[in-house]
Amino acid sequence: MTGSRLKLVTGGRVLDLGGDLDHPEIADVLIEGDRIVAVGAAATARAGALEGVETIHAEGHLLIPGLVNSHYHSHDVLLRGSYEQMPLDIWGLYTHPANYRRISTQDIGLRTLLGAADALCNGITTMQDMVTIADPERGHVDAIMGAYEASGARAAIGLQIADAAGVDAVPFWRDLPDDVTQLLPGAADTSALQRLIETLVMEGGRDKIDWVLAPSAPQRCSDGLLRWVAELSAIYGLQVFTHLYEARSQVVLARQAYEGGSLLAHLEKFGLVGPRLTIAHGIWIDEEEIRRFGAAGANLAFNPMSNMKLRNGFAPIVAYDEAGAGLALGCDNCSCNDTQNLFLSMKMFALFWGFQTQAGESGAARRAFAAATLGGAKALGRAGDLGAIRPGYLADMVMIDLSGANYRPLNSAIRQLVYGESGQNIRAVMVGGEIVVRDGELLAYSNDELKQAAEDARSRMREEVEQVEARNAGMLKSLLEAYEKAEAVELPFDRFSIRR
Ligand SMILES: [Zn+2]
């Protein structure tokens, strides 16, 4: 697979946030090893003076940086398409690995590979995978890393960790009948998982794999666990990804059970709110909290698709931006989106942005594209390294065919990309200077073999999925009552309204 160390990508229109976004300049891109070393006339001239340069033709194509998915979980890839809309806390009982028997190492590798293939074919070259492994086994982590390496994708992996009982993390679950509460996830001893995470971060990342920390959510973690996360992050300089204020019920819980009624204040107590922190969702946050969050230089990973599928509402992205927070974009789980496609998230971002600003304000598409590229790089602590086609950046690029129907005629590359592209015109995807996808197919695995492996895995898990669904059916009435109780608690702000 490895071609020449020197490559010249010729004749593409390079979309750069600092350049012409409507009719991007046609520019050659010179790559040495895994990095871009020159763009434009300098690239053409330098390549002309070098020997052994491989040419990759991009005439008639738009070149965009590989997209960065800042919020994703690979653990439920095999459940994609299984569910319609339902509330977050109920959905979790259908999809979270804690509700299933242990899964084989082979299937952990397979689900990771299937998720990575979905992402890569849609132009996502880097993903933050907040993955739950039911057993803290090294072999399971090796399967995940091996699958990413085999796919060719970059991953910032965080092993999701939580130790609180379900009844302490969701309002009114304590009041549920005993026959229901005994089926809900209990408190967990995370000491073995913590030792495993410590070992992994001490070993450090690999070529395309980084480690981040992933406490599931403040209300799902004990004080001791959050303190451990903060210490580990400080010692190793690790980014921290968590869920904050995803559902309305979570601000109800915060007001009921947390000092000052704030889950953000709870994270602040451990020194976790700063540029290394990225929160997923951040919907049910109040204006004062947004100001503090933005002033601290923390990042929001906005997940518009799953936020609607799980009936959570609309994050106030413009307010976050005005407060100084970083904005990134995610696709979230395959069981609540149901594909890893940042084009869909970008389109939603732009539409939400337009609702939250003055009518006709320009820049929504540009802001969406920034969130999916440079914003994601910043959230991952990789600013200056990922998210742009510029000298010094990693050579992660997506080649999009501008002869596609939605680019005829080309009025504005950025708008036609954000509002009109869904990945259908992707011709090639490059990660670290190597082409890993051509015409909708990984080079490492054929679509036929991935399809067969996925269907086989579905057969293996079907019986257990049906058992989980039958178990949940018996609890559904009580769970929905608890949900309605939380919905009925009045709050001084509303995030079911798309407008500010
Ligand atoms: Zn999530």
Side-chain angles (χ1 to χ4, degrees):
M1 209 74 67
T2 308
S4 166
R5 271 188 60 75
L6 290 164
K7 297 187 179 79
L8 188 70
V9 183
T10 60
R13 288 186 182 271
V14 176
L15 190 65
D16 187 281
L17 282 160
D20 184 337
L21 297 174
D22 296 325
H23 295 92
E25 200 182 335
I26 292 174
D28 293 347
V29 180
L30 182 63
I31 296 161
E32 185 175 349
D34 64 354
R35 296 221 174 236
I36 296 163
V37 293
V39 178
T44 317
R46 273 176 70 177
L50 293 165
E51 279 185 24
V53 180
E54 180 189 340
T55 300
I56 298 173
H57 289 281
E59 287 77 7
H61 289 75
L62 183 68
L63 291 180
I64 66 167
L67 303 176
V68 180
N69 183 358
S70 298
H71 189 64
Y72 166 57
H73 306 268
S74 63
H75 50 243
D76 59 357
V77 166
L78 294 168
L79 291 173
R80 66 167 90 243
S82 295
Y83 305 105
E84 296 289 347
Q85 283 177 291
M86 58 175 132
L88 169 76
D89 295 314
I90 297 176
W91 161 81
L93 296 173
Y94 288 86
T95 58
H96 194 273
N99 299 286
Y100 289 82
R101 287 191 300 269
R102 71 174 283 160
I103 179 173
S104 71
T105 307
Q106 177 205 352
D107 280 349
I108 288 175
L110 175 63
R111 74 190 186 192
T112 312
L113 179 62
L114 292 169
D118 186 12
L120 282 169
C121 289
N122 285 321
I124 294 167
T125 51
T126 300
M127 58 211 87
Q128 197 283 297
D129 185 0
M130 188 188 279
V131 58
T132 294
I133 52 170
D135 302 298
E137 285 185 17
R138 178 61 193 244
H140 291 187
V141 180
D142 288 339
I144 293 167
M145 290 196 285
Y148 279 120
E149 288 179 332
S151 74
R154 277 182 212 288
I157 306 171
L159 297 184
Q160 184 162 230
I161 191 164
D163 59 356
V167 293
D168 290 322
V170 183
F172 305 112
W173 273 20
R174 273 232 170 269
D175 309 335
L176 292 168
D178 289 347
D179 60 329
V180 172
T181 53
Q182 69 191 18
L183 295 174
L184 298 172
D189 175 1
T190 55
S191 49
L193 181 56
Q194 287 173 261
R195 300 298 86 78
L196 176 59
I197 292 169
E198 286 165 2
T199 303
L200 294 166
V201 301
M202 269 190 285
E203 284 174 13
R206 296 188 193 166
D207 177 25
K208 292 183 194 160
I209 292 176
D210 282 329
W211 293 108
V212 300
L213 299 175
S216 181
Q219 73 277 11
R220 298 181 199 130
C221 296
S222 65
D223 287 5
L225 191 54
L226 290 176
R227 202 168 295 120
W228 171 82
V229 168
E231 282 171 11
L232 210 59
S233 169
I235 293 168
Y236 293 99
L238 298 170
Q239 302 297 108
V240 177
F241 288 76
T242 193
H243 299 91
L244 191 74
Y245 289 135
E246 179 173 7
R248 189 180 189 278
S249 63
Q250 292 167 5
V251 69
V252 172
L253 181 80
R255 299 299 192 259
Q256 286 176 346
Y258 282 80
E259 208 179 305
S262 168
L263 288 171
L264 182 71
H266 191 66
L267 288 178
E268 286 168 337
K269 222 165 64 181
F270 300 96
L272 281 164
V273 184
R276 280 199 198 124
L277 178 73
T278 298
I279 60 160
H281 314 303
I283 300 169
W284 291 89
I285 186 168
D286 72 26
E287 301 296 321
E288 170 51 30
E289 290 174 311
I290 294 174
R291 277 193 285 279
R292 297 209 309 272
F293 185 84
N299 307 285
L300 171 74
F302 175 45
N303 299 276
M305 309 301 289
S306 72
N307 291 165
M308 286 191 281
K309 188 121 190 265
L310 300 178
R311 301 161 53 98
N312 286 320
F314 307 100
I317 49 176
V318 173
Y320 275 99
D321 181 64
E322 288 171 357
L327 291 182
L329 257 179
C331 299
D332 213 349
N333 306 59
C334 281
S335 69
C336 66
N337 183 338
D338 297 60
T339 178
Q340 297 305 305
N341 188 324
L342 269 178
F343 291 105
L344 304 179
S345 301
M346 278 196 279
K347 182 167 183 167
M348 282 293 163
F349 180 111
L351 294 171
F352 280 32
W353 188 274
F355 261 103
Q356 294 175 11
T357 53
Q358 294 303 313
E361 182 172 313
S362 66
R366 176 175 55 83
R367 299 305 306 255
F369 179 68
T373 54
L374 294 175
K378 177 181 175 289
L380 288 168
R382 306 282 301 265
D385 202 25
L386 287 177
I389 301 175
R390 295 174 187 165
Y393 281 68
L394 284 160
D396 297 359
M397 287 190 273
V398 183
M399 207 186 287
I400 294 172
D401 187 352
L402 288 174
S403 71
N406 53 303
Y407 298 104
R408 310 195 295 246
L410 187 68
N411 286 311
S412 165
I414 189 93
R415 290 201 190 98
Q416 283 161 275
L417 183 83
V418 168
Y419 295 114
E421 180 62 55
S422 60
Q424 75 273 35
N425 296 301
I426 292 176
R427 289 292 159 260
V429 178
M430 175 186 276
V431 184
E434 301 292 337
I435 301 273
V436 297
V437 170
R438 257 197 205 288
D439 296 322
E441 195 157 32
L442 290 191
L443 295 194
Y445 297 89
S446 75
N447 283 347
D448 286 347
E449 62 187 312
L450 292 179
K451 173 68 175 168
Q452 190 57 52
E455 296 301 339
D456 292 348
R458 179 180 186 276
S459 303
R460 284 195 288 279
M461 70 187 294
R462 210 53 231 158
E463 189 184 335
E464 196 183 5
V465 170
E466 282 163 15
Q467 286 165 3
V468 169
E469 287 173 359
R471 179 203 69 170
N472 289 348
M475 301 195 282
L476 208 52
K477 188 168 170 291
S478 303
L479 293 167
L480 283 169
E481 279 167 12
Y483 172 72
E484 292 302 337
K485 249 192 234 179
E487 290 294 286
V489 175
E490 287 205 20
L491 292 172
F493 62 101
D494 176 24
R495 301 275 181 238
F496 289 131
S497 164
I498 195 167
R499 299 180 66 167
R500 294 181 76 181

